[in-house]
Structure formats: structure tokens, C-alpha cells
Amino acid sequence: MGQTIAEKILSAHSGQEAYAHDIVVARVDFIMGQDGTSPLAIRSFEEMGGRRVFDPERVAFVIDHSAPSPSEGVSNLHQLMRRFAREQGIHLYDIGEGVCHQVVPESGRVGPGSLVIGADSHTCTYGALNALATGVGSTDLAAAMISGQMWFKVPETFRIVCRGTLPPGVYAKDLILYLIGQLTADGATYMAVEFAGEAIAQLSMEGRFTVANMAVEMGAKAGLMEADDKTLAWLARHTRRQFVPVRPDEDARYARVAEYDVSRLSPQVACPHRVDNVRPVEEVAGTPVQQAVIGTCTNGRLEDLRVAARILAGRRVHRDVRLVVAPASRQVYLEAMREGIIQALVESGAAVVTPGCGPCVGTHNGIPADGENVISTANRNFKGRMGNNKAFIYLASPATVAASALTGKITDPRHFLESR
Amino acid sequence: MEKLRGRAWKFGHDIDTDMIIPARYLNTSDPAELARHCMEDADPSFAGRVQPGDVIVAGRNFGCGSSREHAPLAIKACGVSCVIAASFARIFYRNAFNIGLPILESPEAAAGIRQGDEVEVDLGSGTITNLTRGEQYRAAPVPPFMQEIIAAGGLINYVRRRLGKDEV
């Protein structure tokens, strides 16, 4: 019987032919924890009686959710992580290195066929590299750090085929917001999603990370893509490791298959307080915004900053708007400096903060005031998400956020792109 | 298995982890501290009024969002004996089992139970009794593999026991 990508990867890592609904114990290739979740995992590790991690090369911690620390409580949790990492000989990405979901792919540790768990729900991002990667809690992380294994229920797969070509001014972010709006926040719960079709193939790797990143916002366990020449070229720039791409069989069994034509898509905006409350920009244009955020594991990559700079360069951010920019990693930050992107953003009025998650997850670096509207390139707009439950968060592409920062209201970025 | 009994606290669909425990309170892993802010952005009065044994009853996709285990920990630490929902987001589902917070999936219970109803839950049989309305509901059976984890008292004990046995 044919297998999906998820079934093949779980089969290869469990030593048994696995199909949807089976429960398997599988060996994991890489384990990641961030500063919101690792302290609890360390405690569980100790309570379990763990002494050594199974393989220090396959475990990493990232300090990104509150980086640098905004309080003594967090500082002490960071200290706990640093001490544990030193004792165990595992790599710790400290403040300023970047968001976990950017630094892990950049490290070259993850590629086609990898099985990865991370104590962060957006671990599904690495699906863009044809890896089965999924978010877990701290106790699961601790058990896997000890044993190198985790139990999985093999997910059913939902194949989403994206046809056509995205129009100018419409990006990967708009595509995934549109899909989430169509399928809702629990439209793929417990399933692995396979994103396919020419519209996905045409995306850059950056764009593919954006799409895979948000698979969890429809409840999915993983958001997978096939590896193609772009994937392999991207990997070759980051590692010498060799990976074998995993393709679904022709006769693989899918729980559901859906096709969408994205050729006539408009820029999309997710409105408060739900990620699936998605509308075309035309319907919400004119809504005033007081803060704009460009960054995060969804849209803080070089291409994202480049698009924003294209709109913002030579112009000034509206006087009633704060624009916060957080590059996804130090590497992205440095490349953006070399290209003059950071210069253009800062000249336009942007406040550039340390690579990290703060503005998205509400730990620091731009908590909105009561009643304010924020437009952000992040992946979640839940009530209270940015640290104030009386603020309103709109999600959009970097282009839409940049255009809105200029006008002080939600704005269709195509007005600015056409004029250049 | 034990029977649980308490008053129902009703919540809607898509209760996300930021509503259960916002990231601004993740500057501690202390369950008692987390409990003080439990459900704060959904119902600010909840943490102050919930009684030991009470039951959270919610709609679809409970616990969606972050992988933070602080969410089930906060619920457990404020004395909630069990969460009943029409459905759960998958990371929350796993985390709840791993830390030993009983959860039951039952669309009919989620629809039938009202705020303040007295509810009794038989975890062994998956039967939920609404003592206020004299109704009974069935919950989806717990997968056998996860029953082992519950029987061990959570994943920590489960692993500790196996480590002790295998001397890994």
C-alpha cells in the first residue's frame, strides 16, 4: 500500500511499515527547545532521573522568546538553560543569534527525511525542507532528550494542492492566510498537511518556510513539502550533509485532498482575535494602526525584509505609527545590513530590535497599549498574544505591513509597488 | 479509576494557550504562580473563583496555539479536576496526558453542560453525568497506549519507572 511523506518518514525512523492511526516509537534526528519551554523540560528531565542527553549533537537550545532577558525571573531561567547546556555539552544559541525556526534550518542539521521535535508549536516550519517536524511539550521533550525516541500516532495526511501563479504584490503569507481562512483553525487537526502544486513550487525557500510555519494554525501536526532543486540548492548553502528526498507514493492514501487556484488572490489580512478570521485587504483597508511589526519565524527572513525595504525606502513611517523590525536571525541581520536594507528601514523610521520572538509573543520589545491596533507579519493574533489583552492584532504579509506603516492604516501594498 | 466531581466552567470554541496562560507570565515555572493567571484573558474572575474539583467544559479545538506545557499545568494547579471539550488541539492533548491532567473529548457533553452545572466524571468508563440536569454523555475512549501513561501517573513516572527497570 502506498505511503504519504509522513508515513514514510515515520516508517524509516521506527523500523516498521507505518500507516495512519498506527502508534510507533520512533528515533528522532534532532531535538530543539526554546527559553519558554526548556526550563520545564530540564525540570522534567531531572524528575525522570535523566543523567545524560542521549546524543549532545542532536539536541539544541535557543534563547529567543525573551532575548535579551527583560526581567530577573527570565534571567534565572536563561541561567538554568545555559548551565544545563554546558553540563550536557549541547549547543545553546544565545541572545542575538535568532529565532529557533530560523537558526535550526540555517545550522544544516535538518533536511529531507529528518524527524524533528521541538518544544515550540511552530517547529512545523522545517516541513518546507521535506522534514517531518512537529511541536511537543516540555515533558515529551525531556523524555526524548533521555531516550532519543518518542512515541507518535501516525497522522492522516491532508494534501493541499495550490494551482496557478500568485499575482504581483501577493506573497506566500497571503497564500497561507487564505488557506487557513478557508479551512479554519481546526481544519487539519492532528493531520499532516502536504502542500503541493505549482504555486508552492514557484515559491522561494523563504516563502515555503512561511507556509509550512503556519500549518499549525489549522491544527496540523506537520506541514510538509517535497524537496526540489531549490530545496537542495538551499541545503547545499548551509551544510555538506547529504539527504535523500522523500516523495509520497502515487497510491498513497489521503484523508482529504483539496485544490485551490491562487491566481486571483488579493493580499490577505487575518483580523482579531483569530487566525482564521481572514479577509481580503480590500475589505479591511482604512483600519487605523498604531504599531506595525515585521519579523518573527513566519516573516523575518531576508526576502521579507527586502520586500519591506522596497516599499519603505525613501519614505517615512507615518507619525502615528511605531514600526518594529526584528530580523529572524543574526545571519539575516548581517545580510540585510550588507544589502543596505537595514539602512533603508532605519532611515524610514523603523526601530530595529534584537533577532527574537519578543514582539510576537508579548514578552517585550513592543507591547501595545489598550485599544491599539497592530499590524504584524507574525502567525498569531490571539487576544493577549502581544502582551496586552486589550489590543487588536491584524496579520499580513511584510508588504502589507510596510505599506500600512507608511499610511497609518491598513493598506493594499500594490499601491506602493506599482508606483516604483 | 476514580470519579471526579465538581461545578462546570463553560468556555467557547478555540480557547487558545494564550488565553489559558499568556506568555507574559512564563517568567516562572511555578505551578502555583501560573494558576493565579489561569484563563485570565478569557475570564479574569476564573482563577479567583474556581474551586478544587471543578471541571472546565469547552467547545472545539481547546488548547490551540503554543506548545507551552504551562497551559495544562496552570489548569491543574488551580484545582480543575478534568477538562471536557468537543475536541482538543493535538499538542495540548498530549501535554495534558503527559502531566496527568485528565481530559475527555465529548461533543455531546460540551453541548449539554451549562455554566455552574454539577458534573461527575468516571474516567474509567468515560461516562460524564450531569447531576444538575440528570443527563449522561459518553466520551471518546482513551487510546490504550495513553492509558498506560495515565496509569503510571504521567510521563515522568512512566519514564522514571522504565529507566529504573532498564538502567538506560
Side-chain angles (χ1 to χ4, degrees), chain A residues 36 138-140 151 274 389, chain B residues 14 41 69-70 94 98 160:
Chain A
S138 302
T139 304
D140 269 329
W151 68 269
R274 294 169 51 113
N389 61 16
Chain B
D14 301 301
D41 289 351
E69 211 163 275
H70 311 71
R94 241 183 122 106
N98 285 345
R160 186 159 45 190

Side-chain angles (χ1 to χ4, degrees), chain B residues 67-85:
Chain B
S67 67
R68 66 187 69 145
E69 211 163 275
H70 311 71
L73 274 179
I75 292 173
K76 194 180 171 196
C78 67
V80 168
S81 64
C82 160
V83 182
I84 300 166

Side-chain angles (χ1 to χ4, degrees), chain A residues 337-352:
Chain A
M337 284 172 78
R338 270 182 230 117
E339 278 193 28
I341 291 169
I342 297 296
Q343 176 94 20
L345 294 175
V346 172
E347 279 174 356
S348 79
V352 180

Side-chain angles (χ1 to χ4, degrees), chain A residues 133-158:
Chain A
T134 194
V136 300
S138 302
T139 304
D140 269 329
L141 195 83
M145 287 198 297
I146 293 170
S147 66
Q149 299 179 328
M150 198 175 88
W151 68 269
F152 293 84
K153 185 173 166 197
V154 181
E156 295 183 306
T157 296
F158 179 1

